[in-house]
Amino acid sequence: MKIDWEALGSVFGVSLFATVALVALFTLGLVGLSKHEAATEQGGTATLARSGAYLCFGLVAAAVAYGIYLIVA
């Protein structure tokens, strides 16, 4: 049995990048929601923070849905 180390390394690299990117996007979404909450408590509005958070969560959901599509198809 011969292992294609180059392909294995490529899969590892892409998986690592995708994982870090999704965690970073989700974290940015949480930070945006916390900024919105902080602004709301102080009597202001932070619609940009909330919109950015929802955008981040939407991108994460789209990436997860695409991953499931790749597995099923």
Side-chain angles (χ1 to χ4, degrees):
M1 180 165 90
K2 182 171 173 9
I3 297 175
D4 186 2
W5 291 103
E6 185 177 338
L8 183 63
S10 175
V11 168
F12 174 76
V14 169
S15 298
L16 183 65
F17 174 75
T19 301
V20 169
L22 286 178
V23 169
L25 270 176
F26 192 80
T27 302
L28 283 175
L30 291 178
V31 168
L33 284 181
S34 69
K35 296 286 184 193
H36 178 264
E37 291 294 324
T40 304
E41 289 175 2
Q42 295 174 356
T45 61
T47 57
L48 183 62
R50 184 177 42 175
S51 300
Y54 290 159
L55 177 67
C56 288
F57 291 141
L59 289 173
V60 169
V64 169
Y66 182 65
I68 291 172
Y69 168 76
L70 288 177
I71 291 171
V72 172

